[in-house]
Amino acid sequence: MDPRMCRKICSSESLPDAENEEFEVSNIIAPQESEDNFLLEGSPERHSVTWLDDDQIDDLDLNLDQTNLFFHRVDSADVIYRSKKKKCKMVGKYVMGDVLGEGSYGKVKEMLDSETLCRRAVKILKKRKLRRIPNGEQNVQREIQLLRILRHKNVIELVDVMYNDEKQKMYLVMEFCVGVLQDMLESSPGKKFPQRQAHDYFIQLLDGLEYLHGQGVIHKDIKPGNLLLTLDQTLKITDFGVAEALDMFSPEDTCYTGQGSPAFQPPEIANGAEQFSGVKVDIWSSGVTLYNMTTGRYPFEGDNVYRLLEAIGRGEPAPPPSSVGTLLETLLMHMLKRNPDERPTVQEIKRHDWVRARPALAAGEAAVGARSRRSDELHSSTVVPYLVERHYATPHHYFTEHDLRHELGDGGSRTMSTAELSDAESTQCKRRWHSSCGRLPSCRLT
Amino acid sequence: MFNPDINDYQLTSIIAECCGGIAVVYSAVYKPYIQKVAIKRYFVDKDKEKASLIQQDILTRKELQHPNILPYLTSFVYGPDLYIVSPLMNLGSCRDILDRHYQEGLPELACAIILRDVLLALQYLHKQFYIHRSVRASHVLLDIYGTVRLSGLRNAASMIVRGRRQRQLYSLPPPDHDNANLMWLSPELLEQNLKGYDEQSDIYSLGVFCCELANGAVPFAEVPTTLMFTEKVRGSRPQLLDCSSFPEPLDDGEMKSMYNTDSGVGDSAEGVSRLRAAYARRKLSDAFHHLSDQLLQRDPEKRPSATQLLNHPFFKQIRITDFLPSLIGRVKPIKPDPGDMSALLLQEKISEMEIEKSTEWDL
């Protein structure tokens, strides 16, 4: 049975996941992918059923103080589900796959180029969502402009841009990547990489940065969350939303705005400098990234963004644990110099002894694999099931809430995970979480 | 040594246009030796992206030396175009031969000789840590001396990356102009997952090529690319067509949907039924069927290696006296055409010339 099933939200029976306490709605809400895809066949005479599609669910303001709080009692055998069929959807020449990740801008999904069979990732941007983000539309425009020009092995490639005026959506088609360093770090023991692995990534980060700086582009948001890996472990710098192209004729690399993630900002930005060297901002952030990858910690910590920026502003990074070795420690401390002028250039870093020698994998250390909670171990294409649906029609599969509970009970160990919740619900949870945490204007949290 | 100078070559005729119009293959005579050669002329201006691929092709071929791999003689730039000189394979490519003379496929013994020689080439390539990634009839060239040579090395990939030997590769070969190359690629290569693919991927392609040679038509031709992909991923294997494939006669519609040739004749219902009759009449050896099954296994680890395959019983039928050109007697060598010649002398803009589009002759 396909676990990604449609979920009915009603208060008469508690759902197997506690996260749903937030949702108390009188009407039945069923995510509806498209016209006839997702029918929930209950007893219509007893309920008023409202059909919503994913977009509408995003919009839906599920405030608990809604006027109509009315509870129905529904027998579990009366609630009939149809397994979520993988309805094949095309955008241009691309076949849509599953969601790879979600950002504040919208979803990132996997796609397959139906002509070349090349796997791709697509960033789906909704105009409506963009407008709610400070500088949202502007950042996207800048990102597209920059990515169109940039071409380097360690910089994400923008393959195609498509617009759907009717749906007010924009699709940025990119190279397919299997993992984000951030996710891999989070899933690894000690939230860090073996030095050998961190070294492999750092070298590639340096190559990418060297190219970007040579092209007069300051990324300004280097962090593990913006470093992706392809199938063959090539690192790709992504997210040029806050990047800045320097004036070609300017001899300086002066920048005026910093919009990056607080934990990776240098002291000059934390202290609110009006102008600063762009290149050295990326050096600093790369230093924090290396620090984080090799120690699992951050050089500066704070209970909240303000405390954090205060600590950064003082510019006294916590020394890395001695286990990293003196060689790496000197490099980290050099990159995290309070004074931007004292920080090394990319070329200087490349000449550093820690960078030149590839560290050996210590006994007992194992490389951290690219992970994603949504994919299988091999990161196989998620488009295949949609193609199967398209090319070999399969009969619908119906089951009731009662069957489902029965099966879950029998299965014993099998419990519903958040990954199995419908996407619409998880976005809803995320959005609430986002809006509840403090933000600096024009600052993004990791 | 061949001189990299256009004045030493006398172009005699046009053999084919290829690579979606960015290159033309001529037959020519190298004047100092009075030796026939083939010259591939690339209009580099037309596609700048491809320039690096051509460069890769030349570098790879310079590195390789094997009797069953098309050698590289020399190359030079003249005007805006790049010329690459190779020996002339004057019976053309297997694809041309199938299209023009053997729509129902080549005789079994001819298939055996060609497959053996291509396996020798692959055995060599794999030893050099190359994956060919483009084993197909249009990349297998024949001449009147019975030589079989593998070409199409611009899609080849080295397993040595930045000095380190890789166990797997992950990326698709560079896309060709019509994406036709995908039909020959293995399921694990097309899947593009963390398992990657290795040289056993070429063995699968050889299996598709084996069906192509024997059946005349390319398996999965005429089905949507995405269906071809799902079919392969789900493990469906193309088959050699003979009386065992058709225990009961199929109706025309069914036949047409299963296998379709892209030659002019095959497209008509009449052509299809004629082909079907030809398949139903013949019986291919059990060893041949066994070989194709072995090659086309879904799991790359189960496929025998090139070296193991050379000992397959199927190749035991080849006698030392068997001569390939006489087994495929319908094929005539490419001859210089005087009419073509005068046109050649006049032409400056090659694009204005009439070139037979149906030929696939990739060097």
Side-chain angles (χ1 to χ4, degrees), chain B residues 218-233:
Chain B
V218 191
F220 305 116
E222 309 288 318
V223 303
T225 310
T226 49
L227 178 57
M228 178 271 292
F229 173 55
T230 37
E231 279 283 298
K232 281 184 181 174
V233 168

Side-chain angles (χ1 to χ4, degrees), chain B residues 269-338:
Chain B
E270 193 193 332
V272 171
S273 57
R274 195 178 56 73
L275 275 178
R276 191 191 67 191
Y279 295 141
R281 260 199 314 275
R282 73 182 181 185
K283 172 86 183 79
L284 302 171
S285 71
D286 290 345
F288 201 2
H289 283 286
H290 181 259
L291 177 81
S292 101
D293 268 4
Q294 292 266 296
L295 298 174
L296 290 164
Q297 290 183 93
R298 172 73 177 82
D299 181 356
E301 284 158 34
K302 288 192 183 145
R303 290 173 216 145
S305 69
T307 311
Q308 288 166 337
L309 283 165
L310 284 165
N311 290 318
H312 192 276
F314 175 62
F315 300 111
K316 301 277 188 282
Q317 62 181 298
I318 306 170
R319 302 278 161 257
I320 197 128
T321 47
D322 288 333
F323 186 56
L324 182 59
S326 45
L327 294 171
I328 48 170
R330 292 182 216 163
V331 188
K332 298 286 169 274
I334 295 159
K335 285 232 172 72
D337 175 1

Side-chain angles (χ1 to χ4, degrees), chain B residues 1-272:
Chain B
M1 271 300 289
F2 286 77
N3 230 352
D5 181 355
I6 188 91
N7 296 316
D8 282 342
Y9 299 86
Q10 173 71 57
L11 302 185
T12 52
S13 67
I14 295 170
I15 299 173
E17 180 182 352
C18 55
C19 306
I22 68 152
V24 170
V25 181
Y26 303 97
S27 76
V29 174
Y30 180 58
K31 289 188 264 187
Y33 302 165
I34 321 179
Q35 185 181 337
K36 283 180 188 164
V37 291
I39 297 184
K40 189 165 183 176
R41 175 179 177 184
Y42 279 102
F43 307 104
V44 188
D45 279 2
K46 279 198 186 168
D47 197 341
K48 294 209 166 59
E49 294 265 310
K50 291 255 166 63
S52 63
L53 288 179
I54 301 166
Q55 198 178 9
Q56 191 55 48
D57 182 27
I58 294 176
L59 287 172
T60 311
R61 282 169 62 192
K62 270 182 163 174
E63 215 177 290
L64 300 170
Q65 204 172 1
H66 188 271
N68 298 110
I69 291 176
L70 186 73
Y72 156 90
L73 299 176
T74 188
S75 61
F76 52 87
V77 174
Y78 178 71
D81 304 331
L82 175 68
Y83 296 76
I84 301 179
V85 184
S86 312
L88 180 67
M89 301 297 287
N90 57 6
L91 291 186
S93 77
C94 288
R95 188 64 252 165
D96 286 346
I97 293 170
L98 291 168
D99 284 345
R100 293 184 193 149
H101 308 287
Y102 288 91
Q103 273 129 24
E104 75 289 359
L106 296 181
E108 184 172 327
L109 186 54
C111 293
I113 294 173
I114 295 169
L115 286 168
R116 180 199 58 191
D117 289 359
V118 172
L119 265 174
L120 287 167
L122 287 180
Q123 184 189 31
Y124 169 77
L125 279 175
H126 294 170
K127 268 190 193 146
Q128 308 293 318
F129 302 117
Y130 273 101
I131 308 179
H132 187 279
R133 304 197 295 184
S134 192
V135 179
R136 51 189 279 192
S138 61
H139 287 155
V140 177
L141 311 177
L142 313 181
D143 71 10
I144 50 162
Y145 309 107
T147 321
V148 179
R149 278 175 172 152
L150 184 60
S151 71
L153 283 145
R154 68 175 169 282
N155 288 322
S158 173
M159 305 271 287
I160 312 277
V161 180
R162 273 166 273 132
R164 272 186 225 156
R165 192 185 154 199
Q166 311 291 307
R167 292 187 171 278
Q168 280 90 31
L169 298 184
Y170 300 91
S171 51
L172 292 176
D176 51 346
H177 60 95
D178 58 357
N179 297 309
N181 199 38
L182 296 169
M183 287 190 288
W184 286 267
L185 297 179
S186 68
E188 69 271 18
L189 190 155
L190 294 175
E191 271 192 302
Q192 301 159 77
N193 64 21
L194 280 176
K195 214 172 173 189
Y197 61 91
D198 58 16
E199 68 278 0
Q200 290 304 93
S201 172
D202 279 346
I203 303 297
Y204 184 94
S205 304
L206 187 77
V208 180
F209 167 58
C210 163
C211 292
E212 185 186 12
L213 272 187
N215 299 339
V218 191
F220 305 116
E222 309 288 318
V223 303
T225 310
T226 49
L227 178 57
M228 178 271 292
F229 173 55
T230 37
E231 279 283 298
K232 281 184 181 174
V233 168
R234 299 173 87 182
S236 93
R237 287 186 217 180
Q239 283 185 333
L240 298 176
L241 302 175
D242 66 359
C243 57
S244 66
S245 325
F246 305 111
E248 292 147 37
L250 294 168
D251 64 76
D252 279 0
E254 230 176 312
M255 178 62 213
K256 199 171 170 152
S257 65
M258 271 178 67
Y259 281 93
N260 218 335
T261 57
D262 43 11
S263 64
V265 192
D267 288 332
S268 68
E270 193 193 332
V272 171

Side-chain angles (χ1 to χ4, degrees), chain A residues 147-274:
Chain A
L147 286 177
R148 280 214 166 118
I149 314 162
L150 300 171
R151 186 155 290 204
H152 186 268
K153 197 166 65 68
N154 299 116
V155 175
I156 195 88
E157 187 193 337
L158 178 66
V159 180
D160 212 345
V161 180
M162 294 179 291
Y163 302 89
N164 184 331
D165 289 334
E166 199 186 317
K167 285 188 178 172
Q168 293 276 291
K169 279 182 180 175
M170 196 194 291
Y171 301 87
L172 305 189
V173 184
M174 321 250 216
E175 274 175 283
F176 179 76
C177 289
V178 285
V180 189
L181 292 195
Q182 174 76 21
D183 293 351
M184 291 164 63
L185 284 167
E186 275 167 19
S187 70
S188 64
K191 303 206 183 301
K192 60 176 179 176
F193 295 133
Q195 279 204 18
R196 158 78 153 258
Q197 195 175 4
H199 183 268
D200 283 352
Y201 298 149
F202 188 65
I203 297 268
Q204 300 188 63
L205 171 60
L206 289 178
D207 283 347
L209 268 190
E210 191 173 28
Y211 168 79
L212 290 178
H213 292 171
Q215 297 289 312
V217 174
I218 308 299
H219 186 277
K220 290 206 267 187
D221 200 13
I222 297 289
K223 57 176 180 178
N226 284 339
L227 302 176
L228 309 180
L229 283 183
T230 62
L231 285 163
D232 63 357
Q233 298 285 296
T234 307
L235 179 132
K236 303 278 177 180
I237 302 175
T238 184
D239 199 343
F240 286 73
V242 298
E244 186 169 329
L246 300 169
D247 183 352
M248 298 265 270
F249 301 101
S250 155
E252 305 285 327
D253 62 336
T254 311
C255 293
Y256 304 93
T257 49
Q259 300 185 52
S261 317
F264 296 84
Q265 294 307 295
E268 57 271 25
I269 291 182
N271 289 333
E274 299 254 306

